[in-house]
Amino acid sequence: MTVNVEIDGEIAIVTIENPPVNAVSGAVRERLLALAVAFDDDPNVRAVVLTGAGKLFVAGADIAEFDRPPEPPFLPDVIARIEASAKPWIAAIRGAALGGGLELALGCRFRVATASARFALPEINLGIIPGAGGTQRLPRVVGVTEAIRIVAENHSPDGVEALRLGLVYTLVDEPLVPAAVAFARSVVGQALPPSSIQRAASMPPPDVWAEAEARVTAGARGAAAPPQALQALKHGIEHGAEAGLALERSTFLALRATEEAAALRHLFFAERAALRPADMRALNPLPIETVGVVGGGTMGSGIAAALLNAGLSVVLIEQDEAAVLRARSTLASLFESSRRRGLISDDDAAGWMARLETAIGYGAAGRCDMVIEAVFEDLAVKRSVFAELGRVCRPDTILATNTSYIDPRLIADGLPGQERFLGLHFFSPAQVMKLLEIVPTPETAPDVLATGYDLACRLGKIPVRSGICDGFIGNRILRRYRAEAETLVRGGVGIAAVDAAMRAFGFAMGPFEMQDMAGLDIAFLYREAARSRGEPLPDMPGDLLVRAGRKGQKTGGGWYDYAAGDRRPRPSADAERVIAPLVGAKTEMAGEAIVSRLMASMAEEGHAILAEGIALGAADIDLVEVHGYGFPRKCGGPMFQAGRTGKT
Ligand code: 3HC
Ligand code: NAI
């Protein structure tokens, strides 16, 4: 049963029980509508308590239904019917009341909640706006200024704040339902208060709209939904609730049908599936409290920061005193900058440094539950590290490498207890980037793999399993993407035209700007190594640039020129001259055609990766691109794009 009814004297208790999150599916809507009609006709029922089974109230509309046309009864009609009921409906809320769940609660005459309840309208994260009155009822209940924050800026009050805002009538303690029933009894027989939609909307001072529009548009970074959510809210305040509801619904339906919303839904489900792959669900991760990090450079420091952020204790092992001091100072400045930006308190920062131990030599690794290696990308160096770890660590200590390219099987070769070894490939900056590629070897034990997933969840990261190949999933696609971009340039397309096209598509940077920022030399050295092994790799424009000393921003120029202290790329006659021997006659190519070429090459590599079993599913490849490589979220990922356009 998706909606259960229990009668307690004159109070009907309606419980939405639609696991896992009590989403308002078609069946729930139908039953709620029928109940609203039936209770009005039932003289024995004098008030209705509406609640959710389990940990939460209602997580919103059923997002899985959004790929189909809406089916009646529609949620706005169900809510309007509840709101029009002759008897008081009381929403009893614990846990999350999100999206359509909050809208449902707003349709009730009263809301009671526990202090830890959470209220939000997260529709904008799905590329839509609230579609069942949220933009209209909420400002009439909490005022325009607060409603803007919740509707268009993802603000999410808890029960205590909701009480202060007037969103809930009173806070109640657990057990929730008896408390809500007692409340319902106390209002039986009283005149109904005005419904949310009937309440007078107060006009905000004129500058509120202009300020909110500027703020919301800037915060949206090109996403369609947040400014439109604000517009619906504003329209209802200026033209009345009926006009507001009409605009809200038409905007909701139009956005729901966009590619952007489909892409965001695809990622919503992919992200959740990634955290709990089917074959990991029955496994118990091993307990991890203290993690060793070997190497405190760019990645080691970032990984340590991510671990400390998650409340773990860290032992950071470096080669010498100077490197230890460097790592400590990197971490101290990371925490200081978080503290300055108000992201953490002084106590948090102090707590982190207290949980950080630094060491020279491997003795302290003996106390670690897991050790993550992040030393130079050199097989011999990595092997020597694991030889030491194999000697000093407990036999059950999990050992992981953060290698970008080296075959983890070669790194683990000779290690005692290879079943506890795996690749954990973080992305830079590791305390920020959400992606964690998890790379098991054939020997990795299932519970060790499960521990990798568990660690990713604890760090707030998205784990994606990758098989072993050169560059794993992400760097392999990146290489293909860059190679295709260089092919375009060799065909006469302008460097700046390629970058501009990819920026217009939604990347923060184009492929050449990105290379200039990261440095061209690493990929160059990689190709040179392949050439020295006898691989037939022809020269590429990037090789010519590095040989001419143009390694990117750090040398004042790469694909572009850079003025001292200025990261803005400027077209470079020198770069053009250097690569001229490999470049054909200049040609114009439309931005869309550039995007479609580069997308097709990424998807083609993705299909090869799938065919080889390196990625477990196409959605995993999209997650890698979105969370590790800045692929625009609103475009869903290269495999999603290929699926929509039918191209590979
Ligand atoms: N519809 C369908 N399925 C949903 C869902 C929803 N609204 N919300 C969550 N799920 C599914 C997830 O896909 C996942 O499925 P799985 O077990 O098969 O992977 C399962 O429920 C559990 O979700 P989480 O893994 O996210 O569980 P958590 O406990 O970590 O989080 C939550 C629970 C906070 C409710 C989180 O799921 C969430 O934020 N959900 C989305 C809320 C949302 O965006 N609501 C707005 C919907 S749009 C709407 O309401 C339109 C309206 O205005 C008309
Ligand atoms: P880095 O050069 O910034 O840091 C390496 C650190 O390891 C140095 O501080 C060095 O002193 C230390 N080190 C070297 N040998 C050591 C030893 N035997 N014991 C203890 N410490 C030792 O390098 P970076 O960029 O942090 O890379 C580390 C690893 O992470 C590499 O395998 C790299 O491929 C990988 N990686 C790098 C990414 C990046 O964007 N930089 C992204 C993802 C992975």
Side-chain angles (χ1 to χ4, degrees):
M1 195 48 121
T2 50
V3 180
N4 302 316
V5 178
E6 208 185 311
I7 302 293
D8 182 349
E10 56 198 359
I11 312 296
I13 303 162
V14 176
T15 305
I16 299 175
E17 186 170 6
N18 188 18
V21 293
N22 299 332
V24 195
S25 59
V28 172
R29 294 195 302 273
E30 250 175 51
R31 180 106 165 104
L32 287 177
L33 187 60
L35 287 172
V37 173
F39 291 145
D40 268 359
D41 292 341
D42 184 345
N44 295 323
V45 171
R46 301 194 62 200
V48 184
V49 168
L50 175 64
T51 194
K55 286 188 303 191
L56 47 66
F57 180 67
V58 168
D62 185 345
I63 300 167
E65 288 180 353
F66 286 7
D67 286 325
R68 306 193 296 270
E71 282 165 18
F74 306 120
L75 188 56
D77 301 334
V78 175
I79 292 173
R81 182 62 190 82
I82 289 174
E83 192 168 51
S85 177
K87 298 165 186 178
W89 280 61
I90 295 109
I93 300 162
R94 77 158 66 82
L98 307 181
L102 175 51
E103 292 174 302
L104 198 54
L106 282 163
C108 296
R109 295 285 167 148
F110 297 97
R111 286 160 295 284
V112 300
T114 60
S116 60
R118 192 162 69 80
F119 301 85
L121 291 172
E123 283 88 344
I124 53 173
N125 305 325
L126 295 166
I128 55 176
I129 71 168
T135 66
Q136 305 305 310
R137 290 189 177 87
L138 191 64
R140 287 171 170 77
V141 172
V142 303
V144 165
T145 310
E146 293 298 338
I148 289 172
R149 294 176 67 211
I150 297 170
V151 166
E153 296 179 287
N154 268 326
H155 180 56
S156 169
D158 62 8
V160 176
E161 188 183 350
L163 178 67
R164 185 172 59 70
L165 297 177
L167 180 55
V168 302
Y169 191 88
T170 185
L171 293 184
V172 290
D173 291 325
E174 293 282 6
L176 173 68
V177 171
V181 167
F183 177 83
R185 289 215 164 89
S186 75
V187 298
V188 161
Q190 291 182 11
L192 286 179
S195 67
S196 304
I197 207 78
Q198 285 166 342
R199 295 205 199 172
S202 51
M203 278 288 177
D207 54 345
V208 164
W209 294 123
E211 276 173 21
E213 273 156 9
R215 211 176 55 235
V216 168
T217 306
R221 298 215 200 100
Q228 297 203 36
L230 178 61
Q231 279 318 309
L233 192 158
K234 182 180 177 198
H235 194 74
I237 299 298
E238 290 182 342
H239 302 280
E242 200 179 324
L245 285 171
L247 179 67
E248 178 198 82
R249 188 68 183 168
S250 61
T251 307
F252 164 79
L253 290 173
L255 288 175
R256 183 184 185 275
T258 58
E259 284 294 298
E260 184 169 327
L264 293 170
R265 286 199 291 281
H266 162 71
L267 291 174
F268 175 87
F269 287 116
E271 282 159 358
R272 275 150 183 91
L275 297 175
R276 287 186 302 271
D279 60 343
M280 293 288 110
R281 289 186 191 175
L283 296 169
N284 289 324
L286 303 167
I288 303 290
E289 284 315 319
T290 302
V291 182
V293 177
V294 186
T298 309
M299 291 310 289
S301 298
I303 294 168
L307 294 163
L308 292 165
N309 274 340
L312 291 149
S313 296
V314 170
V315 177
L316 193 147
I317 296 167
E318 257 292 355
Q319 316 197 76
D320 51 40
E321 195 57 40
V324 163
L325 288 176
R326 254 195 327 271
R328 272 199 168 271
S329 115
T330 307
L331 281 162
S333 57
L334 280 178
F335 295 143
E336 175 54 22
S337 103
S338 299
R339 198 188 58 76
R340 263 202 319 269
R341 282 182 290 147
L343 300 177
I344 58 166
S345 68
D346 292 355
D347 284 354
D348 289 336
W352 277 325
M353 291 319 267
R355 274 184 282 113
L356 170 67
E357 179 185 335
T358 42
I360 300 161
Y362 291 84
R367 285 186 284 107
C368 294
D369 308 309
M370 173 187 266
V371 180
I372 303 170
E373 165 277 312
V375 301
F376 304 132
E377 185 74 345
D378 179 303
L379 179 58
V381 176
K382 288 190 188 294
R383 270 197 176 153
S384 70
V385 168
F386 282 100
E388 292 289 346
L389 292 174
R391 213 170 41 76
V392 299
C393 289
R394 297 191 316 253
D396 64 340
T397 298
I398 295 180
L399 301 178
T401 175
N402 182 48
T403 182
S404 307
Y405 289 100
I406 302 173
D407 186 334
R409 290 168 296 198
L410 299 177
I411 298 174
D413 193 26
L415 180 72
Q418 299 203 6
E419 68 288 344
R420 58 176 165 157
F421 179 89
L422 80 172
L424 290 179
H425 186 210
F426 291 78
F427 290 74
S428 180
Q431 75 282 12
V432 175
M433 297 300 283
K434 286 250 180 212
L435 178 63
L436 181 64
E437 278 182 331
I438 300 192
V439 190
T441 71
E443 274 67 48
T444 304
D447 57 349
V448 170
L449 187 55
T451 310
Y453 276 91
D454 185 56
L455 181 74
C457 295
R458 289 172 75 182
L459 302 186
K461 302 211 181 287
I462 305 278
V464 173
R465 196 181 319 177
S466 172
I468 298 173
C469 68
D470 201 8
F472 311 125
I473 299 173
N475 281 342
R476 178 166 158 182
I477 294 181
L478 177 67
R479 186 177 303 139
R480 178 69 184 271
Y481 170 66
R482 285 181 173 169
E484 192 68 13
E486 285 202 32
T487 303
L488 288 178
V489 166
R490 294 177 74 157
V493 181
I495 296 164
V498 175
D499 281 340
M502 298 320 286
R503 258 187 280 108
F505 179 71
F507 279 94
M509 278 183 212
F512 298 111
E513 295 159 330
M514 191 167 77
Q515 283 185 64
D516 273 359
M517 193 185 71
L520 278 66
D521 43 334
I522 296 171
F524 167 77
L525 290 173
Y526 183 85
R527 288 193 295 269
E528 287 288 271
R531 287 176 187 123
S532 69
R533 289 194 301 268
E535 288 179 32
L537 268 186
D539 269 355
M540 298 175 65
D543 296 323
L544 303 192
L545 289 170
V546 175
R547 288 195 196 113
R550 300 186 63 93
K551 297 180 186 170
Q553 286 185 18
K554 59 186 170 189
T555 58
W559 294 97
Y560 297 93
D561 287 338
Y562 298 86
D566 187 350
R567 288 162 169 251
R568 271 174 306 176
R570 295 148 201 260
S572 168
D574 188 44
E576 302 228 349
R577 181 187 54 74
V578 170
I579 64 174
L582 295 179
V583 172
K586 283 243 168 296
T587 177
E588 295 289 325
M589 192 170 185
E592 276 184 13
I594 293 173
V595 169
S596 132
R597 269 283 289 274
L598 295 185
M599 278 306 113
S601 69
M602 289 171 103
E604 200 174 283
E605 195 66 39
H607 284 301
I609 281 171
L610 280 175
E612 292 167 31
I614 298 296
L616 298 182
D620 276 0
I621 296 176
D622 289 340
L623 290 179
V624 165
E625 290 305 310
V626 167
H627 290 292
Y629 295 85
F631 194 100
R633 196 174 167 80
K634 64 179 181 183
C635 299
M639 307 310 281
F640 175 82
Q641 287 284 314
R644 303 299 275 198
T645 57
K647 292 181 215 149
T648 57

